Amino acid sequence: MSPNFIHTYVSVDCVVFGFDYENRLNILLVQRHVDEVPLERQRKLPGSLIFSDEDVDDAAQRVLHELTGIKKMVLKQFKCFADPTRANNVHDIKWMGKEYKHDIDRIITVAYLSLCKIDHKINSTKYDTVDWFPIDEVPQLPFDHNKIISESLVEIRKWIETDFSIIFELLPKRFTIRQLYQLYTALSEKYIDIKNFHKKISSFNYIVPLDEIEKNVSHRAARYYKFDAKIYKKNNTKLIK
Ligand SMILES: O=P(O)(O)OC[C@H]1O[C@@H](O)[C@H](O)[C@@H]1O
């Protein structure tokens, strides 16, 4: 007897990270609409089935553009999720039927990581509701989206160790060393104390001090810095060795 081979749909899902003013990692979730399910239980990762004439990376770039209105965003494919039961939930089947007008029983999804400054204006052309959620306040999501998010966290930690410059995609254009430190500690599993961090940072010429300091703060006003991508590319140093 010959084995059964799958005949399946393929989708992409994007985990977009942001870093908020309370020093927490956030991700972007969208709202879907399925009758009979309370709205607060219908958040999901932004995603889409892939068009028949589309490359998978292009589909992810399209999803991000439809999600944020931003033309080109940092993007990293990190894993394929193919559990045969991942789209078996009755509400998920209903949703796919409504959204794609097809009888869809199996979907393999390719997951992507992306990064966005949290103060960037989100101009979605596809979703009526797009919100930032602190990573530890993400609700129960459809499909295997909670699993995709936890695996994306492992992935972003690895990413930062191989390419430190991605951290600046999450920070405002001008930032303090404390902000950089807090983001680094939220992302990295390595511990470094703030004094040593300051020492390290001051040896990196791609982190450039500005002639501006914080205003209206209760603690000692800190200097602002900016990231110089050109200088970084020249020496491409890892931050913590
Ligand atoms: O609901 P949308 O994102 O349009 O459809 C694609 C979905 O199909 C599932 O594999 C994915 O997890 C993805 O979310």
Side-chain angles (χ1 to χ4, degrees):
M1 209 174 76
S2 62
N4 283 331
F5 295 109
I6 58 170
H7 183 87
T8 187
Y9 286 85
V10 183
S11 67
V12 291
D13 281 294
C14 298
V15 186
V16 182
F17 281 94
F19 187 60
D20 72 16
Y21 297 100
E22 289 169 48
N23 305 315
R24 297 172 303 181
L25 278 177
N26 282 237
I27 57 162
L28 279 178
L29 295 179
V30 300
Q31 184 82 53
R32 74 174 186 184
H33 302 275
V34 183
D35 298 337
E36 304 139 30
V37 184
L39 273 184
E40 63 276 13
R41 294 217 341 254
Q42 296 200 57
R43 292 295 185 155
K44 66 182 285 296
L45 285 173
S48 170
L49 292 188
I50 298 171
F51 298 139
S52 54
D53 60 352
E54 197 176 35
D55 187 278
V56 64
D57 286 352
D58 295 337
Q61 205 56 260
R62 169 175 60 79
V63 165
L64 289 177
H65 187 233
E66 289 168 349
L67 172 76
T68 62
I70 303 170
K71 278 229 176 83
K72 202 140 181 64
M73 290 175 71
V74 174
L75 193 62
K76 186 180 169 60
Q77 188 188 110
F78 70 93
K79 192 169 173 173
C80 173
F81 292 80
D83 182 331
T85 64
R86 64 176 297 282
N88 271 6
N89 178 287
V90 59
H91 299 304
D92 296 342
I93 294 172
K94 226 177 185 179
W95 162 250
M96 295 306 284
K98 183 178 159 196
E99 192 68 1
Y100 294 100
K101 317 270 182 295
H102 277 279
D103 194 12
I104 296 172
D105 58 352
R106 174 114 198 239
I107 319 164
I108 288 179
T109 201
V110 183
Y112 285 82
L113 269 180
S114 184
L115 310 167
C116 181
K117 295 187 196 306
I118 212 159
D119 54 2
H120 203 297
K121 197 167 175 349
I122 302 292
N123 260 331
S124 179
T125 50
K126 175 172 173 182
Y127 302 101
D128 50 10
T129 310
V130 180
D131 290 306
W132 288 107
F133 278 73
I135 201 94
D136 49 9
E137 288 171 25
V138 169
Q140 180 83 33
L141 303 175
F143 302 101
D144 49 2
H145 290 188
N146 292 91
K147 188 173 173 209
I148 295 178
I149 292 169
S150 34
E151 300 214 11
S152 74
L153 261 174
V154 176
E155 230 20 74
I156 196 174
R157 290 189 169 127
K158 279 194 219 152
W159 194 8
I160 205 150
E161 294 306 332
T162 53
D163 180 2
F164 182 63
S165 68
I166 63 149
I167 206 165
F168 302 103
E169 297 284 333
L170 293 170
L171 283 171
K173 283 226 158 58
R174 45 163 222 182
F175 52 85
T176 63
I177 298 300
R178 177 160 288 279
Q179 275 175 304
L180 178 61
Y181 174 72
Q182 272 153 343
L183 176 54
Y184 184 76
T185 39
L187 282 175
S188 172
E189 274 155 347
K190 290 181 188 163
Y191 174 76
I192 177 163
D193 72 46
I194 181 103
K195 273 195 189 151
N196 283 333
F197 189 80
H198 261 280
K199 241 190 248 164
K200 287 255 179 201
I201 290 296
S202 54
S203 67
F204 298 137
N205 56 355
Y206 55 83
I207 299 176
V208 182
L210 299 173
D211 272 342
E212 288 172 69
I213 55 165
E214 288 179 305
K215 285 193 184 113
N216 307 324
V217 284
S218 50
H219 52 84
R220 211 179 99 204
R223 176 167 301 283
Y224 283 114
Y225 290 74
K226 70 166 190 179
F227 169 60
D228 190 317
K230 280 190 196 143
I231 303 178
Y232 178 80
K233 270 184 203 142
K234 264 191 214 155
N235 52 12
N236 193 12
T237 335
K238 273 194 192 175
L239 178 66
I240 310 295
K241 289 189 174 150

